[in-house]
Amino acid sequence: MMEKSFVMMKPDTVQRRIMGKVLSRFEEKGLQLVGMKLIQIDEALAKEHYGEHAEKPFFNDLVSYITSSPALAMVIKGEDSISLIRKIVGATNPKEADLGTVRGDFALDMGRNVIHASDSPASAEREISLFFDEDEICEYEMVDNAWIYE
Ligand code: IDP
Ligand code: MG
């Protein structure tokens, strides 16, 4: 199934200048970037995005982290891309994330875990519409499609 996922490089990834390395993980896999923008997330947007964690003890620190500096918001498209991207991203706690995953290779701390990715089709839809207008998503054909998909 062709899916779009919301993926966001968190402020630590922008500040550490490793956005290109992280992006290449998705490009090399054959996934397609259909939306991208560098944004300074404000408190209201951060609280809305992470609404499901509002009661958690780490919520305030999470909102501070996400609003501390710009983040790179993206929409990435591909076959079964939502669960696939979660695998590429790795476990929430970078110390437990497998090596070879983004968090396993680039992060050490739960509160500085480099990247966000939607965890289900419903969250992908909600998060994409929270961060992107419809006209900010580019639908286009990749010239190597026949070499990525059978
Ligand atoms: P996910 O990003 O892997 O989907 P969630 O459980 O949805 O993980 O948590 C959202 C974000 O909140 C995590 O990516 C991480 O930045 C932060 N977070 C989650 N649990 C903790 C914690 O126990 N301490 C500090 N930060 C946490
Ligand atoms: Mg989550």
Side-chain angles (χ1 to χ4, degrees):
M1 175 122 100
M2 221 14 114
E3 293 177 333
K4 286 183 203 128
S5 183
F6 175 69
V7 180
M8 179 178 70
M9 295 195 209
K10 295 177 177 181
D12 44 337
T13 310
V14 179
Q15 288 285 340
R16 291 170 58 198
R17 293 177 284 241
I18 54 174
M19 288 180 283
K21 285 184 176 173
V22 174
L23 181 62
S24 68
R25 302 288 176 106
F26 302 110
E27 292 193 293
E28 288 170 0
K29 186 69 182 172
L31 294 166
Q32 183 186 17
L33 187 67
V34 295
M36 178 183 251
K37 59 182 172 186
L38 191 68
I39 50 165
Q40 175 58 57
I41 298 175
D42 65 17
E43 195 180 316
L45 180 58
K47 287 182 168 167
E48 171 96 46
H49 173 62
Y50 281 123
E52 64 172 316
H53 298 302
E55 306 305 322
K56 306 271 173 66
F58 59 80
F59 186 66
N60 287 341
D61 288 341
L62 176 59
V63 170
S64 308
Y65 164 39
I66 292 304
T67 59
S68 60
S69 187
L72 189 68
M74 295 173 287
V75 180
I76 299 181
K77 184 176 169 181
E79 224 167 78
D80 300 319
S81 65
I82 296 170
S83 62
L84 175 63
I85 289 170
R86 291 285 292 191
K87 281 190 212 154
I88 295 171
V89 161
T92 306
N93 184 345
K95 291 192 185 81
E96 283 159 19
D98 290 334
L99 298 181
T101 64
V102 173
R103 286 167 173 167
D105 290 350
F106 293 108
L108 268 172
D109 215 79
M110 189 107 93
R112 295 288 183 271
N113 65 355
V114 165
I115 193 160
H116 165 87
S118 305
D119 63 7
S120 67
S123 1
E125 200 180 311
R126 185 183 80 85
E127 294 167 356
I128 290 169
S129 63
L130 194 57
F131 285 86
F132 287 87
D133 292 330
E134 261 174 49
D135 65 3
E136 290 176 316
I137 312 287
C138 300
E139 296 289 353
Y140 61 101
E141 290 298 316
M142 299 290 277
V143 292
D144 60 358
N145 244 8
W147 302 104
I148 301 285
Y149 295 107
E150 186 179 353

